[in-house]
Amino acid sequence: MDRPPRLFEGLRLPLVCAPMSYVSTLSLTLACCRAGIVAGWQGGLVRDIDEFARIIDALVEAEEAARSEGRLFAPPAVNLPAGSAMDAGVGARRLDLCAKAKIPIVISSVGDPTEMAGRVHDWGGYLIHDVSTVRHAERAIAAGVDGLMLTCAGAGGLTGRLTPLAFVPKVRSMFDGVILAGGGIATGAGIAGVLALGADLAVMGTRFIATHESGAVAGHKQMIADVGMADIVASDAITGVEANWIRPSIESAVGGSGAPPAAWDRGQRVTLRDGVRAWRDVWSAGQSAGLIDDVPTVAVVVDRLAWEFETATRPEAWRARLP
């Protein structure tokens, strides 16, 4: 099936709001689309198929309304596990709904995206696969994906270990598809930086957690605005898989369990207080939390980023900063 022409042409900024657990609500997704940036929605966590259908319908209706009124509406991107294409149950039904709505972008993660690529291409969509190593990138390219989302060092959630200074140019040297790159980005200059390295779009997550429209609880949003980079801890002690967590949130979640802070860094599993769940109650953020000190609306964030990006990309900007 034919692809939508110039899918990314109408973007205000070369930017994607990352799909995030407990954060990527319909409200945040719509706000990002209306602000002119690609909006990742974490569809893989929605097990209720009626709720999934409701959100897909709302995205389609919002886009149609915006187009009819001549307003900006950037494409949404639905995040699904790569194995959804081989799941005869909920996974298949979610993909059927995406196909019916002709969702323009699917971001796959965890696993082999080969079957997913074929399914998404059937309805004319783009498949972008999330990777954090060169080997995973090579496998995804061989699987026929249209793009790669490079999760680099400094990213929130399930973080990467590779610096974008090396990871992005390496992948660009072997792939001519769409490259997204994220990890520690919270400014327009950061967007310009990953584009200079060879990426087509930057990815931000933490900056959009701390917004009015985000689905994060108020305490999570404010904690991101309050902490510094030293408060971001990369550890596999919470779930068994390395992720970036906010230190005060871990301290609260561990409580009186007796697990010393040193255990977090050694990868020794910690015992959380009764009723406490990772991601929902133990909060994640990337190193860009050290660049964030407010909780504004998405529109304000994008306006600010646009100004910073324009400033950073002026031809003589680097000369102006030198003595």
Side-chain angles (χ1 to χ4, degrees):
M1 182 175 290
D2 292 338
R3 301 288 185 81
R6 306 294 298 171
L7 176 62
F8 301 104
E9 189 172 44
L11 295 183
R12 184 178 180 193
L13 280 171
L15 180 62
V16 178
C17 174
M20 295 171 282
S21 304
Y22 300 105
V23 174
S24 299
T25 57
L26 176 60
S27 176
L28 178 61
T29 305
L30 289 174
C32 289
C33 289
R34 289 166 176 156
I37 65 171
V38 177
W41 174 58
Q42 184 57 276
L45 293 183
V46 181
R47 300 292 299 176
D48 185 328
I49 201 66
D50 291 332
E51 176 67 6
F52 189 95
R54 183 188 71 80
I55 292 174
I56 292 294
D57 287 346
L59 291 173
V60 171
E61 290 169 7
E63 180 176 13
E64 290 175 348
R67 300 291 184 224
S68 68
E69 297 169 8
R71 291 185 286 108
L72 182 64
F73 197 90
V78 177
N79 185 204
L80 296 171
S84 296
M86 296 176 285
D87 177 1
V90 173
R93 296 175 70 188
R94 287 189 298 216
L95 274 176
D96 287 343
L97 289 168
C98 289
K100 180 181 178 181
K102 291 185 170 54
I103 292 298
I105 305 167
V106 172
I107 299 173
S108 60
S109 53
V110 187
D112 182 354
T114 303
E115 295 296 326
M116 178 75 87
R119 186 66 197 281
V120 174
H121 292 163
D122 283 345
W123 76 71
Y126 286 79
L127 181 66
I128 295 171
H129 192 63
D130 183 12
V131 299
S132 58
T133 69
V134 174
R135 180 60 181 144
H136 288 158
E138 291 171 339
R139 290 175 176 173
I141 293 168
V145 302
D146 304 289
L148 296 169
M149 184 165 76
L150 311 186
T151 299
C152 304
L158 300 177
T159 190
R161 292 188 172 185
L162 298 179
T163 170
L165 292 172
F167 195 17
V168 176
K170 175 61 178 177
V171 174
R172 175 50 76 203
S173 72
M174 61 189 193
F175 182 57
D176 61 3
V178 178
I179 293 178
L180 289 61
I185 304 172
T187 66
I191 299 172
V194 292
L195 264 60
L197 292 169
D200 300 293
L201 298 165
V203 181
M204 283 187 195
T206 302
R207 172 62 277 186
F208 289 103
I209 297 175
T211 58
H212 287 193
E213 296 89 347
S214 147
V217 297
H220 188 183
K221 298 178 186 184
Q222 192 57 49
M223 189 174 286
I224 287 174
D226 292 342
V227 300
M229 291 184 196
D231 295 306
I232 305 303
V233 180
S235 176
D236 60 3
I238 307 300
T239 65
V241 179
E242 186 170 82
N244 270 327
W245 306 95
I246 310 175
R247 186 180 300 275
S249 179
I250 302 178
E251 292 170 346
S252 174
V254 170
S257 69
W264 311 338
D265 300 319
R266 290 199 304 267
Q268 177 182 331
R269 291 296 294 273
V270 299
T271 301
L272 304 178
R273 291 187 293 106
D274 289 345
V276 172
R277 293 175 57 184
W279 307 114
R280 186 193 68 186
D281 307 307
V282 188
W283 300 329
S284 176
Q287 293 173 0
S288 62
L291 303 173
I292 297 167
D293 60 8
D294 59 357
V295 185
T297 64
V298 166
V300 168
V301 169
V302 174
D303 282 346
R304 185 186 302 163
L305 292 171
W307 181 86
E308 293 170 349
F309 180 73
E310 180 183 356
T311 301
T313 53
R314 289 174 184 163
E316 296 299 311
W318 65 274
R319 292 188 187 278
R321 288 192 296 270
L322 292 173

